[in-house]
């Protein structure tokens, strides 16, 4: 190949690389998907039919998640008119500075009648779990780490459960199961999605909500397996059926390491819950069946 052709090829490659970086840095991180799913939960009481649960994950407050971007996410979540908001960990990034006041102010703006629930992620633990718990308390967010919180509609119950971070070895599933009443639907928050293999073995949870993997964040064949974190490599995004339990893996809204997203747009997930007894009245293309 001639020198001029080599120079032309190099220029094309440099342009493609520049375009990729611009798109991954400036375009896709702000192209937030709002995904809506009807889920049939076998033990959900009919009193909770149509219950609207909104999930976000992996905020990673810091240089790439400033106040403006985070407040836009809060606005989008509130526009979904949720009954409940669930955040599945990694509020911060362990090695990056963040504005505590901006995080608290944004979290306080979430609006849902049944409040905001959360568990911590691995970055929260490495950044200082107790400090993050204090910020959540100041924000009015209920920390469900190794806890059970029960919602009531008359005599009907829906149990919201959480495990603390698996990578930090702080998960206590046995304690959660012991505290969980025998009857009523149960939803588990666990930052790491691959924990579903263990959670499903209990036979007690209808749905697990997770994050952690960022949906791969940069989905190129040569990179995807490199960037996927431990306990986030088997179930990386979206819906899965794990031994009779539904698992949903949210792609998160923030970034870490390389501050790029490619084929892994940030995600807000809106779940509309229904009991199995609902019949065929729900949109058939939006219903998940166990």
């Amino acid at each position: 190949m001639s020198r001029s052709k080599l120079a032309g090829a190099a220029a094309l490659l440099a342009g493609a690389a520049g375009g990729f970086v611009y798109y991954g840095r400036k375009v896709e991180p702000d192209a937030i998907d709002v995904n809506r799913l009807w889920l049939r939960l076998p033990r959900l009481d009919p009193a909770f039919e149509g219950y609207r649960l909104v999930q976000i994950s992996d905020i990673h407050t810091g240089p790439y998640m400033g106040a403006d971007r985070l407040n836009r996410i809060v606005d989008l979540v509130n526009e979904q008119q949720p009954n409940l908001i669930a955040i599945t960990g990694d509020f911060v990034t362990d090695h990056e500075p963040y504005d505590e006041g901006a995080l608290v102010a944004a979290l306080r703006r979430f609006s849902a009648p049944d409040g905001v629930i959360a568990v911590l992620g691995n970055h929260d633990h490495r950044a200082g779990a107790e400090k993050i718990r204090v910020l959540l308390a100041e924000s009015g967010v209920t920390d469900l780490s190794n806890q059970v919180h029960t919602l009531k509609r008359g005599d009907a119950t829906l149990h919201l459960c959480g495990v603390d971070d698996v990578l930090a070895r702080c998960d206590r599933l046995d304690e959660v199961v012991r505290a969980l009443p025998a009857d009523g639907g149960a939803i588990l928050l666990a930052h790491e999605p691959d924990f579903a293999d263990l959670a499903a073995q209990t036979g007690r949870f209808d749905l697990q909500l997770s994050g952690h993997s960022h949906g791969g964040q940069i989905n190129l064949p040569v990179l995807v397996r490199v960037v996927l974190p431990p306990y986030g490599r088997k179930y990386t995004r979206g819906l899965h059926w794990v031994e009779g339990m539904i698992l949903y893996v949210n792609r998160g809204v923030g970034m870490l390491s390389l501050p790029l997203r490619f084929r892994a747009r940030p995600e807000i997930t809106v779940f509309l819950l229904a009991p199995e007894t609902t019949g065929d009245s729900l949109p058939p293309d939006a219903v998940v069946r166990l």
Side-chain angles (χ1 to χ4, degrees), residues 259-277:
L260 305 171
R261 277 188 178 266
F262 184 71
R263 297 173 61 203
R265 295 169 74 172
E267 179 180 13
I268 296 168
T269 317
V270 183
F271 300 101
L272 295 114
L273 306 184
E276 286 193 325
T277 55

Side-chain angles (χ1 to χ4, degrees), residues 11-200:
L12 284 173
L13 286 173
F20 168 77
V21 171
Y22 179 84
Y23 174 83
R25 180 75 179 271
K26 299 294 186 181
V27 178
E28 189 157 311
D30 288 321
I32 301 170
D33 281 339
V34 179
N35 293 324
R36 296 175 178 85
L37 299 96
W38 279 97
L39 296 183
R40 294 185 192 270
L41 303 186
R43 285 169 286 216
L44 187 73
D45 192 282
F48 286 95
E49 182 172 344
Y51 194 83
R52 189 179 292 254
L53 168 59
V54 175
Q55 180 198 9
I56 64 169
S57 194
D58 298 84
I59 296 171
H60 289 289
T61 307
Y64 311 113
M65 180 60 75
D68 289 345
R69 178 174 281 172
L70 181 52
N71 278 293
R72 178 179 173 235
I73 291 165
V74 172
D75 290 340
L76 283 171
V77 169
N78 289 341
E79 286 173 12
Q80 311 313 310
Q81 299 181 313
N83 296 104
L84 177 74
I85 298 166
I87 307 175
T88 43
D90 278 1
F91 291 85
V92 302
T93 303
D94 66 334
H95 59 275
E96 293 177 347
Y98 63 95
D99 186 333
E100 296 178 19
L103 175 60
V104 170
L107 293 176
R108 283 177 175 169
R109 291 187 56 243
F110 280 121
S111 178
D114 291 326
V116 184
I117 58 174
V119 291
L120 269 58
N122 53 307
H123 279 267
D124 301 320
H125 274 269
R126 293 204 296 261
E130 293 313 310
K131 181 178 181 180
I132 301 302
R133 294 190 208 280
V134 168
L135 295 179
L136 295 185
E138 291 177 0
S139 306
V141 176
T142 299
D143 178 12
L144 275 186
S145 299
N146 302 324
Q147 302 291 327
V148 176
H149 175 70
T150 298
L151 299 175
K152 293 186 177 181
R153 297 287 187 273
D155 293 330
T157 57
L158 175 60
H159 307 295
L160 310 171
C161 313
V163 289
D164 207 343
D165 189 66
V166 177
L167 279 173
R169 299 183 179 181
C170 294
D171 54 298
R172 300 292 182 268
L173 183 61
D174 55 339
E175 295 178 7
V176 174
V177 173
R178 280 199 299 270
L180 181 58
D183 298 319
I187 297 172
L188 178 69
L189 274 57
H191 179 64
E192 287 89 354
D194 293 358
F195 186 76
D197 287 335
L198 183 60

